[in-house]
Structures are given as C-alpha cells and as structure tokens.
Amino acid sequence: MIFNESVKSTRKEEMINITPLVEKALHKSGIHSGISVVYVPHTTAGVTINENADPDVPRDILMGFRHAIPSSLPYAHAEGNSDAHLKAAITGSSVTIIVEEGRLQLGTWQGIFFCEFDGPRERRIYIKFLS
Amino acid sequence: MIFNESVKSTRKEEMINITPLVEKALHKSGIHSGISVVYVPHTTAGVTINENADPDVPRDILMGFRHAIPSSLPYAHAEGNSDAHLKAAITGSSVTIIVEEGRLQLGTWQGIFFCEFDGPRERRIYIKFLS
Amino acid sequence: MIFNESVKSTRKEEMINITPLVEKALHKSGIHSGISVVYVPHTTAGVTINENADPDVPRDILMGFRHAIPSSLPYAHAEGNSDAHLKAAITGSSVTIIVEEGRLQLGTWQGIFFCEFDGPRERRIYIKFLS
C-alpha cells in the first residue's frame, strides 16, 4: 500500500510543512513500530526535515541555497531551471522517519517540508510505511 | 539477501544512470510491495535521483557542485580529493525508492544515478529490498 | 523497538564517529539481514557517511560547508544559527545502512558521523533496525 498525496506550491521557491499529511497517512496505516518513507517523484523539488517553529528558517534555507547554487551559472539545460535540479539533488528525493508507539519520532522542533524549487506547480508525494 | 553490483566510471566526474541495474535486481528479488535501498560503499562517490531525459541536466549538476565546492580550497587531506568527499557528503550514500505492484515508484522524469566524483574507477553498488 | 542514544559535542562544529554506537545497537537487536536507520532529531545537526581513516577529511568537509554556506549571509532567523540549519538540510537527518550476515555493510573506508553544526550540545540519536 502506498499513499499518493498531492501538494500545491504557490511560489517559485517554497518550503511547505507536510507533517500533518504524513501523520494522517500514518494513522490510516495503523502501523505501530517501523519506518515512514516520504518520497517526492519530481526532479526540481525535494523533501527535507528542519525547524517547524520560526518561518524565517525555511526562508533562510531557500536563500542560502540560492547563494550556493546561483541561477546565473552557465548551465546547458535549455529549460533554464538547472538550479532547481541542483537544489533537488542537494535536499534529496526522500526522507525516512522512525515510527514508534504509533507516532513519527520527530524531534521537538522538527517538521517535514516539501521543497518546491521550480513552482508554482501541483506536485505529488508518495508515503510508504514498513513495519 | 543483498545485490552486490559493479559500475565502471570512465571520467573524473560522471553521473551514471543505474536505473536498469536496480530494476533487474528488483525483478530477481520478486518483491511486490516495499522499498529498495541503493547504497554506495565509497567515500568519494554518491547516489542521487534526478532527471533522466536531457543529458545536460547531469552535466549541469556536476558543474554546479564544482561551483559550490571548489577544488581549490585550502584542504588539509593529503590525497587532494577533499572536494570529492564533500560532494559525496552532499549527495549522500544511499537513496530509498518505494516499490509497489512490483515496480520502482519513480516519477516520470526520474532516474537513479551513481555519482562519480573521483574517477575513473571500478565501483560497487549494494541493493537491498525490504517488504 | 528504538535505540535512543546520546552524543556530546564539544565544539561549535564537529563530526563525531558514531559507527561503534550503531554496531553495538545492531548486536543488541539481533538482526541478521535488513536495514539500519540512524536518525538525528535535531535541526542544527545531521548525520552522514564518509571517510573514517584520515581525520583531515571531516575537517575539510566542515571547512567546505562553511565556504558554500557562509555564516555572514543576510539571514532573517533571530537566533543567528541559520547556517547550521542549512548544513543540517544539506547532510540530512538520517542515513540508511544495509545489514547482512549481522553486520553493517559499510565500505572499507566508511564510517557513520554525527554532524554537529551548532554546538557544543548534548544531542540524541535514534537507531531503528528493520528486517
């Protein structure tokens, strides 16, 4: 069984908190102890875990990525979104979270973020639980 | 059971599409629903998931990494390949892909790439399926 | 069952080899074949796999990250540690290692490193085995 969820980004770059979506799927799965794999089937978007308290943190993360990976490099790819492909490679296509006692074992300040690097778009998120 | 596969890079830096290799292992495993872990047991190579259509995308990814992590920094490691160790840390040593209905649940444009950062070399790839 | 371990960093930035800690947990788990997920429940620390022979390699990795993600960017987050959040996003919150014949299938030169980016602090590490 796989959970095939959707998320809609509204800006070019955006980090969207999808923790509630993963928690809802976990509840439906009925898994008590195991792992959760959250997977993004796109090549200009990723997924990461980071601070879910101050919204300045996701903003700073996107800004830091733009500094490290400028959109102005002499890229060859004709679509003009190679910086987004690079940011997706850096964040990665999946995160794995441990499940214990029926709950995601996230740290106090952690949230799961879908990372849009070439929006706005309608995107998919796959979630799978293993026990 | 673990699949212990090999791949041969032919350049200093190279992204090699290993999707067919993972699909072949999945077929042999007979797994219908679960996950696939693709693991690189090296410290100057990694693995990532990105666009498998335009070959300019992998080229741009390698170029962007060279921009972010120059080989000219005042590294201490005597072998002179610290930039390759950094790029391996950034891409990561493994990717996890969801398996459902006997197939890797990759997105339309996604492929699995072995990332050589200090080649050319003969390299190993470990693949494990869990259901 | 989850292993809830602790590690104490002693500097602002530090890569601590936690391979023995993961191996001890694996031995206790009794798992013969499967995967190990090593998870860091923090937002200014991460975990990575890299060279466990020359201590200059972890030092160079931290130096390369400081080059790519300067602490001097015009960050908005008031705590002043946004560079640490970025480095955590780049390394990631977890690593997955294949277990076969009761042993972590690490490469010859690989070790598992807890990455402190905003220390010194007492930190947690969660370890879970699936077979």
Side-chain angles (χ1 to χ4, degrees), chain B residues 21-131:
Chain B
L21 193 151
V22 181
E23 283 173 336
K24 220 166 76 178
L26 172 58
H27 186 74
K28 283 186 195 167
S29 78
I31 293 288
H32 182 78
S33 172
I35 60 169
S36 167
V37 175
V38 180
Y39 185 89
V40 168
H42 302 287
T43 60
T44 54
V47 58
T48 197
I49 292 172
N50 216 288
E51 182 177 321
N52 188 20
D54 178 0
D56 278 340
V57 171
R59 275 193 282 264
D60 283 351
I61 289 175
L62 294 173
M63 190 262 283
F65 279 162
R66 283 193 298 273
H67 171 84
I69 307 292
S71 60
S72 60
L73 295 183
Y75 298 112
H77 182 46
E79 286 186 46
N81 59 356
S82 282
D83 60 324
H85 285 285
L86 269 150
K87 292 166 188 173
I90 290 170
T91 49
S93 298
S94 75
V95 292
T96 301
I97 307 112
I98 297 171
V99 174
E100 209 66 40
E101 300 182 351
R103 286 183 298 110
L104 298 173
Q105 297 299 309
L106 294 166
T108 311
W109 305 106
Q110 285 185 323
I112 308 167
F113 289 90
F114 173 82
C115 303
E116 176 62 79
F117 297 122
D118 194 30
R121 300 204 204 192
E122 174 107 31
R123 302 287 205 172
R124 309 303 309 175
I125 295 166
Y126 301 160
I127 308 170
K128 175 88 182 169
F129 298 96
L130 247 69
S131 60

Side-chain angles (χ1 to χ4, degrees), chain B residues 1-2 35 37 39-43 68-70 73-77 82 85-86 88-90 93-94 126-128 130, chain C residues 33-35 48-51 54 56-57 60-61 63-65 67-68 90 96-98 100 105-107 109-110 130:
Chain B
M1 185 192 186
I2 186 173
I35 60 169
V37 175
Y39 185 89
V40 168
H42 302 287
T43 60
I69 307 292
L73 295 183
Y75 298 112
H77 182 46
S82 282
H85 285 285
L86 269 150
I90 290 170
S93 298
S94 75
Y126 301 160
I127 308 170
K128 175 88 182 169
L130 247 69
Chain C
S33 172
I35 60 169
T48 197
I49 292 172
N50 216 288
E51 182 176 322
D54 179 0
D56 279 340
V57 171
D60 283 352
I61 289 175
M63 189 263 282
F65 279 162
H67 171 86
I90 290 169
T96 300
I97 307 113
I98 297 172
E100 209 66 40
Q105 297 299 309
L106 293 166
W109 305 105
Q110 285 184 325
L130 247 70

Side-chain angles (χ1 to χ4, degrees), chain A residues 19 34-36 48-50 95-99 104-112, chain C residues 2-7 18 21-22 36-43 45-48 92-97 112 114 123-128:
Chain A
T19 315
I35 59 169
S36 167
T48 197
I49 292 172
N50 216 288
V95 292
T96 300
I97 307 113
I98 296 172
V99 173
L104 298 174
Q105 297 300 307
L106 293 166
T108 310
W109 306 105
Q110 286 185 324
I112 308 166
Chain C
I2 185 172
F3 292 85
N4 185 337
E5 308 288 340
S6 77
V7 66
I18 57 169
L21 194 150
V22 181
S36 167
V37 174
V38 180
Y39 185 90
V40 167
H42 303 287
T43 60
V47 57
T48 197
S93 298
S94 74
V95 292
T96 300
I97 307 113
I112 308 167
F114 172 83
R123 301 287 204 170
R124 310 302 309 174
I125 296 167
Y126 301 159
I127 309 171
K128 175 88 182 168

